[in-house]
């Protein structure tokens, strides 16, 4: 069955379609936080405080065929301001290229830094 109607528009059925990432794209979900952070000393840092551009950690939910160093389930470090956001069933996700990921936190210890989350 063809997923496009005879008028070349998408079908309006309730069928669920699986999302597959293409090429070197990665689908990431940022864990929800209330916006404010705490320093290691316990000081509350409000979400409006902005000292410098901040990198974010997220969880990988999908990878394209040409992604080499990131697997589904990894935590990745990236700049959220430079990424594209997509909403799927009311939840916001980010789509990025693998080259935009700065670090991977995983159980695989191949070339690590010695730092752990």
């Amino acid at each position: 069955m063809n997923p496009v109607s005879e008028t070349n528009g998408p079908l309006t059925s309730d069928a669920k379609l699986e999302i597959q990432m293409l090429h070197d794209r990665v689908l990431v979900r940022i864990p929800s936080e209330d916006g404010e952070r705490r320093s290691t000393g316990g000081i509350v840092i409000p979400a409006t405080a902005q000292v410098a551009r901040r990198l974010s950690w997220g969880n990988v939910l999908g990878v394209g065929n040409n992604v080499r160093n990131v697997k589904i389930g990894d935590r990745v470090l990236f700049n959220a301001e430079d990424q594209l956001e997509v909403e799927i069933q009311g939840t916001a996700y980010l789509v990025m290229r693998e080259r935009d990921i700065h670090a991977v936190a995983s159980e695989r210890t191949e070339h690590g830094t010695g730092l752990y989350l």
Side-chain angles (χ1 to χ4, degrees):
M1 180 173 181
N2 190 352
V4 177
S5 69
E6 295 172 5
T7 60
N8 292 332
L11 292 177
T12 57
S13 69
D14 292 333
K16 294 188 176 190
L17 303 176
E18 181 182 14
I19 297 172
Q20 296 179 359
M21 303 308 292
L22 300 177
H23 310 295
D24 64 341
R25 300 302 195 275
V26 178
L27 182 68
V28 175
R29 178 180 56 214
I30 299 177
S32 60
E33 299 174 355
D34 28 301
E36 54 185 40
R37 307 183 312 267
R38 287 194 179 270
S39 70
T40 55
I43 299 172
V44 176
I45 303 169
T48 57
Q50 194 170 24
V51 176
R53 290 179 54 185
R54 186 169 177 85
L55 297 177
S56 301
W57 287 99
N59 300 320
V60 176
L61 299 179
V63 295
N65 296 341
N66 296 335
V67 174
R68 296 180 172 188
N69 298 312
V70 179
K71 306 283 186 245
I72 294 174
D74 286 348
R75 290 193 68 199
V76 293
L77 183 66
F78 58 92
N79 183 357
E81 295 175 3
D82 292 338
Q83 307 312 321
L84 300 172
E85 186 175 312
V86 62
E87 186 174 315
I88 302 170
Q89 297 180 357
T91 304
Y93 300 92
L94 297 176
V95 176
M96 65 189 71
R97 292 180 180 262
E98 182 182 23
R99 70 179 180 208
D100 294 333
I101 295 173
H102 297 283
V104 177
S106 69
E107 294 180 5
R108 300 184 313 269
T109 56
E110 296 157 359
H111 305 290
T113 61
L115 300 172
Y116 295 88
L117 288 179

